[in-house]
Amino acid sequence: MGALRLPSLTSIFTVSSARSSLFPRRSSNRLNVRRLTSSAKVFAKATEVAPAESNQKLPVQEQGITPRSQDFNAWYLDVISMAELADYGPVRGTMVIRPYGYAIWEAIQDYLNVKFKETGHSNMYFPQFIPYSFIEKEASHVEGFSPELALVTVGGGKELEEKLVVRPTSETIVNHMFTQWIQSYRDLPLMINQWANVTRWEMRTKPFIRTLEFLWQEGHTAHATPEEAEKEAMQMIDVYTKFAYEQAAIPVIPGRKSRVETFAGADRTYTIEAMMGDRKALQAGTSHNLGQNFSRAFGTQFADENGQRQHVWQTSWAISTRFVGGIIMTHGDDAGLMLPPRLASVQVVIVPIWKKANEKNEVLDAALSVKDVLHSAGIKVKLDDSDQRTPGWKFNFWEMKGVPLRIEIGPRDVSSGSVVVSRRDIPGKPGKVFGISMESSVLVPYIKEKLDEIQSSLLDKAIAFRDSNIVDVSSYDELKVAISQGKWARGPWVGSDEDELKVKEETGATIRCYPFDQPQGPKKCLMTGSPADEVAIFAKSY
Amino acid sequence: MAGKGDKPAKADKSAAVAKSSKGRKKETGLGLTNTKDGNFGEWYSEVVTNGEMIEYYEISGCYILRPWTMAIWEIMQNFFDPEIKTMNIKTCYFPLFVSNNVLQKEKDHIEGFAPEVAWVTRSGDSDLEVPIAIRPTSETVMYPYFSKWIRGHRDLPLRLNQWCNVVRWEFSNPTPFIRSREFLWQEGHTAFATKEEADTEVLEILELYRRLYEEYLAVPVVKGRKSELEKFAGGLYTTSVEAFIPNTGRGVQGATSHCLGQNFAKMFEINFEDEKGEKAMVWQNSWAYSTRTIGVMVMVHGDDKGLVLPPKVSAVQVIVVHVPYKDADVKEIINACSATVKTLCDAGIRAEADLRENYSPGWKYSHWEMKGVPLRIEIGPKDLANKQARAVRRDNGAKVDIPMADLVDSVKGMLDTIQQNMFDVAKEKRDACIQVTKTWDEFIEALGQKKLILAPWCDEEEVEKEVKAKTKGETGAAKTLCSPLEQPELPEGTLCFASGKPAKKWTYWGRSY
């Protein structure tokens, strides 16, 4: 089945078939269009289902999603479609972020925006269009980005005098302005951030992970000394690391990129690397020490306390909507998504259960009052009171959407003044607790405690998974074995850029980072046998 | 001037400028070379740049929005976003790129926007097979998905909003905030089963826009309905909040809330099965406010010393400046300033201290006046001795000594007063410009006097076109701004000022941005 699915799914993001499916001939069965997003199986099935009847049903109920254990990629795409996280955009490789997916991004923004301000950064907004001449100023930068640049050459019906780059990142325009704003040491440090969309014309795309346009925040700072710049770059990778662990329950590994993987125009790139459920690595956030590369290219200088002109030292750092993909691929199981409570837009879903009509009112009343109790305690709660679906259908649906906790209320619960609470992360009976009092003094602390438990349990699970899939290697052969088993290989490395590229060609793995956390003791490079100072982590990546 | 503790009078401001440009060259030049009444256009661009809101760069019509601007934008977002979320409107994000055939889908709509579209034609080193447009607005991007996502009546209403940038490559007179080629906005797009629900939402959103202007930006607006000629291309009807700039005598469309009717639903086949199982078409709205709001606020409140920011939206509400004297204990004064800031911040007031020693107090006064901070607190040795601080209002220059014991309440009270006073003054000025005209001659006279004209009108498109043609001049033609929702009484037999036909309504007219 998985093999059947893939072509139709991947084609959505590789060829511009999106348009044809967006504008189907309306005379044909309209449902087919929708099914395209889920799977080939559904597509085949749809022809058998009368439109009127199937209008009442969501695809998820009919065939569920591809099990995660069976086909990770198909599972990922199914979850995105059926949990209504995103849809593919009208232009190849673009995506529409739907409210349920956007809410995750908003939760990320809410947390980081506060942290950025606490660490002294101000928000601003730079224009989306960058004159091509700006991009050209920093040689390695233009070399790194030019194949991916989208260029506007026509505006308002006229050929433009200078072609404009749709920003792939804003270092160049930022430096152009910093040069005008920075005069003396008193103007430093200058620390800004912007929330914006950026464009990179990529060929291989995947929702959230790699899209032509994506949303991100990009921080840019200028400092008087290299030490301050280094401190800032480290501080921001630390903010990202804490965010990943504490909010997203993703045990990322922070470290330094190899020369080959360093940002075009940076002296050093720091990264947080996350292990996805298929054990591929995801670069989830980066922080660059730009040194004086951009300030020299743009002449960004300041007069120091002695009146000497000096070039500023800079950093830039970013996290994007790619992180949402990271959350989806870290947690979750065969039944669908599993959202960490701190980032979930719905933390608790209440499903009322009644059989007879005369039970409905009292059950709904109780459900409503439980909702109010939780809502006023600041818990994000949703009551699914629609009478179109059975409770069983709702259970599956909200599990698929990854809601951390479910509260069930039936007639018997109403008479006993209690509810049933089920955890998303512990499927079936073991995760189900009966007889929790509806009293707010009992229920609220109980729910809060469970949410905290789920949060830390998701992290613990992810840590265990990560650690059991990292292999310490001491030779290239061991590395090859580990990589071929789909694992991450960690080993001493002083290899050259060529050695690194050779590993990539032969195994498909790249250096994800030199982790900050380094083992003690003498080491020998796994490739060359020379004494090595550091271990590097190799893995296949997104 | 330094240490005098008074804000520089108009006369010695030029001295301050000369001094600062000679003494310490800071890119924030002090003082304005143009006056609001003298040369409004130049004054405006000076204010937004010297006030550190905007920076120009190589691309005409695109501007850098500096932290002083973004703070205002964020405060407005923090009001508007939760409001619409309680209305159960969800946030989403649609792509920046639109393919040509999607863009062409709605004919009237694209006729309105086509001349302004920017096109991506190349990626990397190769030409794209088909050029791709950058959204000028997202109706045509979003509605194919509405068609896909909406099946039955249970999928309705579908209410979405997004915060994003849009691009309109206009050639006429780019003006920061007011008319820029790229701007930030929110665009709401909603679909309902019935027209009544859509109508209700149009007005609910319009009310939020009014509150944004009047309660936050302290700018009085008129809620009204656009004429057929001025309504949104492809929509059923358009409502707007209209502001007025007395100095230029121009109206400015503050924000719009459109009922699109079923026109887009028809083009994009947004159908649903109603409760009886019959196929029906949805009713749609779209509504938006943009960074233009900030420009309107600057134009209305700014003065010859620079920006004047309403306390509610100002990133810094109170600036505390230390005023050292030769023999005074500077350290003690600085400590008092820091303590004052802390007390205010703890009380939820956005306060900052400017304790830089390389600038004189006088320079700082001018600097923060340029940036429009609503309230300045000065602390010198005498204040310290008297356990008081001097508070100076930006909006009217009034000075009050406030006892430190009563700091928080006094400051809160003053900020509220400033907010209210700014609105009252702006409203008074605007109202003074309103001129009721009943004949063509009166109309022309009022137009010449830069009035906001309220006239009885027959509501015929041809007549508006004629008025436009007849008033066309270097400064642009007069057109309808809106017909206020709250209509003054229209006595039977009142005639249209332009056509002499029976008037149907009162309508605001004027030149506009």
Side-chain angles (χ1 to χ4, degrees), chain B residues 13-273:
Chain B
K13 200 171 57 195
S14 52
V17 177
K19 184 176 177 190
S20 65
S21 58
K22 185 165 46 142
R24 23 201 155 260
K25 211 177 147 204
K26 179 94 168 81
E27 60 89 22
T28 311
L30 287 185
L32 299 171
T33 53
N34 293 281
T35 60
K36 193 175 184 181
D37 289 333
N39 188 344
F40 187 84
E42 294 296 319
W43 168 86
Y44 178 72
S45 49
E46 239 189 316
V47 166
V48 294
T49 47
N50 291 10
E52 298 179 333
M53 298 193 88
I54 282 276
E55 188 77 69
Y56 290 80
Y57 79 122
E58 269 59 11
I59 300 175
S60 152
C62 293
Y63 308 97
I64 290 148
L65 307 181
R66 303 183 67 175
W68 207 238
T69 294
M70 285 312 283
I72 298 172
W73 185 242
E74 284 182 84
I75 289 165
M76 290 197 288
Q77 281 186 306
N78 289 343
F79 158 71
F80 191 79
D81 200 60
E83 286 287 343
I84 60 172
K85 278 185 174 141
T86 59
M87 291 166 71
N88 217 10
I89 293 162
K90 310 275 189 194
T91 319
C92 62
Y93 186 79
F94 282 74
L96 173 74
F97 298 113
V98 195
S99 57
N100 191 27
N101 58 345
V102 175
L103 197 64
Q104 302 288 352
K105 196 90 178 173
E106 213 289 337
K107 201 171 131 286
D108 288 346
H109 183 67
I110 193 55
E111 273 176 16
F113 284 105
E116 302 174 355
V117 173
W119 295 92
V120 174
T121 61
R122 294 172 66 80
S123 71
D125 293 332
S126 49
D127 286 331
L128 296 180
E129 275 177 40
V130 192
I132 289 169
I134 293 183
R135 64 178 162 224
T137 177
S138 300
E139 276 77 7
T140 59
V141 188
M142 288 185 167
Y143 298 163
Y145 294 88
F146 278 49
S147 166
K148 185 178 168 191
W149 295 337
I150 296 169
R151 316 267 101 189
H153 60 92
R154 283 185 205 93
D155 299 322
L156 295 173
L158 179 60
R159 307 172 86 182
L160 299 178
N161 178 61
Q162 72 178 5
W163 297 92
C164 65
N165 59 339
V166 285
V167 172
R168 297 181 188 172
W169 212 261
E170 298 184 70
F171 288 96
S172 59
N173 247 347
T175 308
F177 296 121
I178 300 293
R179 179 173 286 109
S180 55
R181 285 174 169 176
E182 180 194 4
F183 54 91
L184 303 182
W185 76 350
Q186 61 66 219
E187 49 177 326
H189 294 267
T190 56
F192 299 90
T194 63
K195 181 168 186 295
E196 290 68 35
E197 289 169 90
D199 287 338
T200 304
E201 188 199 67
V202 165
L203 292 182
E204 282 173 358
I205 294 294
L206 194 66
E207 172 61 10
L208 288 180
Y209 291 154
R210 183 200 65 78
R211 289 182 58 196
L212 202 57
Y213 271 97
E214 298 198 337
E215 293 175 15
Y216 282 77
L217 301 173
V219 171
V221 290
V222 177
K223 290 204 276 188
R225 193 164 156 149
K226 288 282 183 184
S227 68
E228 279 303 299
L229 201 58
E230 291 293 319
K231 77 176 185 187
F232 183 68
L236 181 62
Y237 65 87
T238 291
T239 65
S240 69
V241 288
E242 298 285 330
F244 186 75
I245 312 298
N247 297 73
T248 56
R250 283 175 191 271
V252 53
Q253 178 175 294
T256 47
S257 179
H258 314 286
C259 179
L260 303 179
Q262 295 184 307
N263 190 24
F264 284 89
K266 198 171 159 195
M267 290 300 149
F268 289 92
E269 300 180 57
I270 313 174
N271 305 315
F272 69 101
E273 221 174 67

Side-chain angles (χ1 to χ4, degrees), chain A residues 65 67-68 75 79 332-337 396 399-401 424:
Chain A
I65 55 176
R68 190 175 189 256
W75 171 87
V79 162
D333 59 14
D334 286 354
L337 194 61
N396 289 339
E399 273 171 20
M400 187 268 295
K401 299 261 274 188
R424 171 65 183 88

Side-chain angles (χ1 to χ4, degrees), chain B residues 323-385:
Chain B
V323 189
Y325 276 76
K326 257 183 199 161
D327 305 322
D329 183 349
V330 177
K331 205 172 169 198
E332 205 186 338
I333 299 175
I334 286 179
N335 288 343
C337 288
S338 304
T340 303
V341 167
K342 185 168 188 310
T343 307
L344 293 174
C345 287
D346 287 349
I349 295 163
R350 297 188 289 272
E352 272 181 24
D354 184 350
L355 303 175
R356 289 177 288 181
E357 279 166 20
N358 56 320
Y359 294 110
S360 69
W363 188 94
K364 291 179 188 173
Y365 299 166
S366 304
H367 174 73
W368 293 106
E369 278 169 359
M370 175 69 72
K371 295 195 59 137
V373 171
L375 197 62
R376 177 174 78 237
I377 289 183
E378 306 163 6
I379 301 179
K382 224 168 43 176
D383 301 303
L384 218 53

Side-chain angles (χ1 to χ4, degrees), chain A residues 19 26 30 37 87-89 97 106 117 125 128-129 149 151 153-154 156 176-177 181 186 213 388, chain B residues 55 57-58 65 74 85 93 96 101 115 117 119 121-122 124 145 147-148 154 165 182 269 358:
Chain A
R19 208 171 299 131
R26 286 301 173 136
R30 211 177 155 169
T37 60
D87 213 325
Y88 47 88
I97 307 176
E106 280 185 307
K117 285 180 184 170
Y125 185 78
Q128 180 174 35
F129 296 126
L149 296 179
L151 299 174
T153 62
V154 178
H176 179 76
M177 298 325 305
W181 294 335
R186 289 197 192 86
E213 181 201 7
Q388 308 306 312
Chain B
E55 188 77 69
Y57 79 122
E58 269 59 11
L65 307 181
E74 284 182 84
K85 278 185 174 141
Y93 186 79
L96 173 74
N101 58 345
V117 173
W119 295 92
T121 61
R122 294 172 66 80
Y145 294 88
S147 166
K148 185 178 168 191
R154 283 185 205 93
N165 59 339
E182 180 194 4
E269 300 180 57
N358 56 320

